[in-house]
Amino acid sequence: MKKTMMIFLGPPGSGKGTQTAPLSEKLDIPVISTGALFREEVEKGTNIGKLVEEKMNNGELISTDITNEILEKRLESPDTEKGFILDGYPRKEDQIDYALKNINKIIDNGGQVFVFYIDVSDSTVNERITGRRSCDCGKNFHTKFNPPKESGICDDCHSPLIQRGDDSEEAVVKRLEEFHKGNKPVLEFFQDKKYFYRIDGERDIEEIREEIEAIINKD
Ligand code: AP5
Ligand code: MG
């Protein structure tokens, strides 16, 4: 298979994590979520973790310097050799350059690129985020739309599920505001590219997954 780079854009709770997980398994390439990388730093109590924790819990975006530093380091890992899936990057105008640098590198070397934008309304975001239950292993569930087999327990690793620190009502308002402001120029930049696909995210998880797979298989 050609080296594959995918980017998943979309508001908080649009389903980026939900859709990237099975793709990663199927294609055997890692998902690199900048949000998850930051949560790891917070958990480990590193300097970066200390710098970003409060901002994340308030629903604010992190500076591009720090975001690029952490992403660049992650992309050096040998598991990205066959490709990778970026979840939640680029998220604002000054992140487009670094994303594009990677896109061009893949295309110039004969690889393939897909940019998906999962489109959902703000009211859907609220419903999805309040019901979300997350596991440290990266798997997400929803109390109503995607419940675990056993309430409060991860289907995969059987650890207790938690609610993320930035899933409070106040933080979600701020996250949406920051998302719309940052994402506007990103969407304007990508929307006319031949590798860009807008996905209607207001449908069932399975239906969306099938559409994404069909797009990938067609190319
Ligand atoms: P990040 O972790 O990326 O959070 P986010 O973008 O707010 O997105 P979420 O992870 O909340 O949602 P998701 O789209 O993955 O949805 P999910 O699949 O879980 O970032 C966190 C923070 O890190 C940011 O706020 C910022 O501070 C910082 N950060 C990260 N990247 C950055 C960057 N590039 N620059 C600067 N700062 C950055 O689904 C949500 C729920 O809905 C789940 O319960 C799921 O089961 C359910 N669900 C999913 N799909 C469906 C469906 N189709 N129907 C019904 N339910 C569904
Ligand atoms: Mg996510």
Side-chain angles (χ1 to χ4, degrees), residues 5-67:
M5 171 177 175
M6 287 184 204
I7 293 182
F8 275 77
L9 308 170
S14 55
K16 301 183 294 295
T18 301
Q19 295 299 334
T20 52
L23 272 177
S24 159
E25 213 166 288
K26 195 166 182 166
L27 303 176
D28 192 27
I29 56 176
V31 180
I32 302 178
S33 151
T34 36
L37 291 177
F38 285 134
R39 282 188 287 279
E40 260 174 54
E41 297 288 327
V42 170
E43 211 161 288
K44 287 189 212 148
T46 63
N47 287 339
I48 288 187
K50 284 178 192 138
L51 275 172
V52 303
E53 185 171 16
E54 199 183 325
K55 274 185 176 291
M56 283 178 83
N57 282 338
N58 290 338
E60 294 166 52
L61 290 178
I62 308 303
S63 79
T64 292
D65 282 354
I66 299 181
T67 310

Side-chain angles (χ1 to χ4, degrees), residues 1-5 26-30 77-84 106 112:
M1 201 181 82
K2 288 181 190 169
K3 182 161 180 172
T4 304
M5 171 177 175
K26 195 166 182 166
L27 303 176
D28 192 27
I29 56 176
S77 171
D79 68 346
T80 60
E81 214 162 281
K82 285 198 284 177
F84 53 90
I106 300 275
Q112 54 182 353

